[in-house]
Amino acid sequence: MEPVFLFSQFFNGLVLGCIYVLLSLGLTVVFGTLGVVNFAHGALYMLGAYAAYTVATHLQLNFLACLILCPVIVAVIGMVLEKLLISKLYKLPHYYNLLLTFGLMFIIQDAIKIFFGPEGEPFNIPDLLQGAINLGFMYYPKYRLFILIVTAMLSGGLWLFIEKTRLGAIIRAGTDNAEMADALGTNISWTFTLIFGLGAGLSGLAGVLAAPIQNVQPAMGMDILVQTFVVVIIGGMGSIGGSILAGLVIGQILTFSIVFWPPGSTTLIYAFMALVLVTRPRGFFGRVSFFE
Amino acid sequence: MTLLRLEDVHAAYDESQVLTGVSLEIAKGELVTLLGRNGAGKTTTLRTIMGLLTPLSGRISYDGRPITGLVPNRIAKLGVGYVPEERGIFPSLTVSENLMFPSWGRGETGWSLERIFHFFPRLHERASHKGSQLSGGEQQMLAIARILRAKMDLLLLDEPTEGLAPLLVETIGTILKEIKGSGLTVLLVEQNTRFACQVAERHNILYGGKIVHTCSNDEFMRDTEIQHKYLGV
């Protein structure tokens, strides 16, 4: 097997991993802070892709506009959902959480089917990012490289935001001890709305980025949701660093298993999850307090 | 002048009632305690004042305003500072970040960072350390410093000496006297009766979810019968 082939597969794994990273970052931040496992997260990803399709096809705006506008749209939808529905969950037992977010997922999915039809929409790679670029040792599609760069910048930006800014400190405080943050005068309910919006926006961004390389269709969110949960669990629920590492690892496992052992490609990530959970029940960087 | 007033406050966790009619008054500038055995409802009283627990009935007023049923961050913004028994330090925030925290809640700031670090040199040394790296004593100092930084008028302090070495207990005592000197009103919950007698001017004794006795520190120290009956000292 050619080394170039292996390299390009490695890069493909990274790109797939990037989509998982973006998706699981939102999921894990929302879980870590709000304690909500959001099954509608995949539906928000799908909304991001459809928003990109609408903005690009019907409003005739370019891809850069999609990349900025669509995550904001999804973030706003997320914030409205949080204020109206998700915020009611914080004081209720966990099964309400499952019922509500699972139901939301189907509602959003079917709403999209009603408006756009069930068969999916075409979405092309933007002109500027078409074709391949010479990396010296191989040619690689520009668009995929673009996903890598955007994800790297965004992960770094998110880390800086959470670790180095005041709002980030409030978010960390809310994750550590929401009750105490409240007792120290922070309006924690708005912080929670903002965090949910942030998670939704990241999911929407993943949807926009994935739109040109995956099919834009109503079930795309549901399809990717399960793998995203695997990433979050392996990375450790609530851990940003864990999500990034686990997302990239899962991307590699999926890509290489498709190359070397296609029948195992759907099960291998679950076997890996089981292995991780047996040796590290909290995942890579999960915090003790959630489950122990 | 009364700063905090509780009238016949009832409160419960799930089905078990903890407070069965607490009435209490604290004047501005006072340092008073809430004494009682385990399970008497001391922590619950503080949590109810802070709005972390909504009372079933009764009234709470602060600085002449009713605060019953307000959310905690509203009550904090009125100037009520809370230091829970487990200190409530944010483990993933640095000492400095922990200190910045409540001043965003209230516009005006209290003690300057310089004054706090001068007063708590230990915190200065550890300013860039995460909350999770602090010892119990350091956490306690940070929790108190946080309230000073935020310019609160009332401090609800839950068992500050718990688990601390004798020398540190003494330090906490000095800090409390200093804080009182700067005009803060303190409601102190204590199991350590000896410590309570050293710092407080008045004691409220909580028994079975009610205040059963209120007396000055001198009276309390003389009255061994009260100490024995309600506190098991």
Side-chain angles (χ1 to χ4, degrees):
Chain A
M1 207 165 278
E2 299 263 335
V4 169
F5 174 73
L6 290 179
F7 264 124
S8 70
Q9 289 305 323
F10 173 74
F11 270 70
N12 286 344
L14 280 184
V15 171
L16 185 60
C18 282
I19 301 293
Y20 287 130
V21 168
L22 289 177
L23 270 170
S24 58
L25 278 179
L27 201 60
T28 213
V29 167
V30 165
F31 175 78
T33 316
L34 281 57
V36 167
V37 178
N38 181 18
F39 281 95
H41 200 69
L44 295 170
Y45 162 80
M46 183 260 298
L47 275 183
Y50 271 92
Y53 166 75
T54 311
V55 169
T57 316
H58 296 296
L59 299 182
Q60 300 284 328
L61 294 177
N62 65 19
F63 190 67
L64 185 69
C66 292
L67 214 52
I68 295 165
L69 209 58
C70 300
V72 175
I73 294 170
V74 179
V76 170
I77 292 172
M79 286 168 80
V80 172
L81 285 178
E82 198 277 346
K83 267 287 172 238
L84 293 181
L85 296 167
I86 306 286
S87 57
K88 311 283 184 280
L89 295 172
Y90 305 144
K91 286 179 178 165
L92 292 172
H94 278 302
Y95 48 83
Y96 285 94
N97 170 341
L98 301 187
L99 287 172
L100 175 66
T101 58
F102 216 65
L104 269 178
M105 176 184 79
F106 285 117
I107 290 169
I108 295 171
Q109 204 168 303
D110 282 1
I112 287 292
K113 273 187 203 161
I114 291 169
F115 283 109
F116 293 91
E119 61 286 313
E121 310 291 344
F123 196 99
N124 293 328
I125 291 174
D127 293 340
L128 197 68
L129 294 169
Q130 265 177 4
I133 194 168
N134 188 356
L135 294 177
F137 53 95
M138 66 170 182
Y139 283 88
Y140 198 71
K142 280 185 197 164
Y143 185 70
R144 287 173 178 261
L145 214 56
F146 175 74
I147 291 182
L148 278 180
I149 294 165
V150 170
T151 308
M153 278 170 29
L154 210 91
S155 305
L158 188 70
W159 182 84
L160 280 177
F161 168 65
I162 292 199
E163 289 297 322
K164 301 292 172 201
T165 66
R166 286 186 157 196
L167 194 53
I170 294 182
I171 290 175
R172 274 179 290 142
T175 313
D176 281 349
N177 190 342
E179 187 180 277
M180 198 60 217
D182 195 3
L184 285 171
T186 308
N187 190 340
I188 205 73
S189 70
W190 272 106
T191 313
F192 278 14
T193 306
L194 201 76
I195 291 169
F196 197 83
L198 179 77
L202 283 170
S203 184
L205 180 75
V208 180
L209 285 173
I213 52 170
Q214 309 224 318
N215 292 324
V216 178
Q217 41 102 357
M220 66 187 286
M222 204 172 181
D223 294 343
I224 206 163
L225 183 70
V226 180
Q227 284 107 312
T228 308
F229 272 115
V230 170
V231 169
V232 170
I233 289 166
I234 291 175
M237 300 283 274
S239 161
I240 290 175
S243 271
I244 294 173
L245 183 62
L248 296 178
V249 169
I250 289 298
Q252 294 302 337
I253 292 178
L254 271 171
T255 306
F256 277 95
S257 61
I258 288 167
V259 173
F260 289 105
W261 189 39
S265 64
T266 46
T267 42
L268 218 53
I269 58 165
Y270 302 103
F272 182 68
M273 175 173 78
L275 188 75
V276 170
L277 288 182
V278 167
T279 48
R280 284 186 74 86
R282 286 179 245 151
F284 291 158
F285 307 124
R287 292 189 307 166
V288 196
S289 51
F290 284 128
F291 296 113
E292 292 167 34
Chain B
M1 191 191 154
T2 309
L3 184 65
L4 180 75
R5 176 180 283 131
L6 277 76
E7 289 169 89
D8 197 28
V9 170
H10 293 247
Y13 288 110
D14 297 324
E15 269 107 70
S16 66
Q17 184 150 5
V18 188
L19 304 185
T20 55
V22 172
S23 296
L24 178 71
E25 268 191 38
I26 303 173
K28 247 178 199 158
E30 260 192 315
L31 198 166
V32 300
T33 65
L34 208 51
L35 302 176
R37 290 183 181 169
N38 270 333
K42 304 186 296 290
T43 298
T44 308
T45 305
L46 294 192
R47 288 177 59 84
T48 309
I49 296 169
M50 200 63 237
L52 293 164
L53 189 67
T54 310
L56 299 171
S57 64
R59 281 177 305 280
I60 307 172
S61 63
Y62 173 76
D63 211 7
R65 305 176 46 160
I67 57 165
T68 330
L70 289 188
V71 293
N73 64 72
R74 288 285 314 280
I75 294 174
K77 278 175 195 142
L78 293 174
V80 183
Y82 177 47
V83 177
E85 195 179 341
E86 65 285 353
R87 343 284 197 206
I89 296 303
F90 302 113
S92 61
L93 271 64
T94 63
V95 168
S96 300
E97 283 173 333
N98 264 289
L99 278 173
M100 279 152 70
F101 204 83
S103 62
W104 306 331
R106 275 193 110 198
E108 47 187 330
T109 52
W111 287 27
S112 66
L113 268 186
E114 292 73 38
R115 187 168 171 204
I116 281 176
F117 283 151
H118 180 74
F119 196 63
F120 301 97
R122 195 78 191 115
L123 294 182
H124 194 191
E125 288 163 32
R126 315 216 69 183
S128 58
H129 288 234
K130 295 257 177 188
S132 56
Q133 297 169 301
L134 302 183
S135 73
E138 288 164 349
Q139 285 192 12
Q140 189 62 58
M141 285 177 204
L142 179 54
I144 294 172
R146 214 160 48 171
I147 303 305
L148 297 174
R149 175 94 180 107
K151 196 176 189 311
M152 300 299 192
D153 303 313
L154 172 66
L155 171 59
L156 307 173
L157 191 54
D158 199 349
E159 299 213 27
T161 64
E162 206 219 355
L164 297 188
L167 200 68
L168 273 169
V169 172
E170 221 171 281
T171 313
I172 299 286
T174 317
I175 292 167
L176 272 185
K177 281 174 190 157
E178 175 88 15
I179 287 171
K180 187 184 147 32
S182 72
L184 215 76
T185 309
V186 182
L187 176 57
L188 172 72
V189 160
E190 254 314 331
Q191 289 274 20
N192 182 343
T193 315
R194 226 162 57 92
F195 177 77
C197 291
Q198 280 167 18
V199 293
E201 47 204 304
R202 204 157 58 79
H203 303 284
N204 294 285
I205 292 156
L206 197 57
Y207 187 80
K210 270 190 173 70
I211 302 285
V212 290
H213 193 74
T214 299
C215 60
S216 74
N217 191 35
D218 294 339
E219 266 175 82
F220 179 77
M221 301 236 284
R222 279 195 303 270
D223 200 340
T224 47
E225 197 188 317
I226 289 277
Q227 293 190 24
H228 185 75
K229 189 173 168 194
Y230 294 120
L231 306 173
V233 179

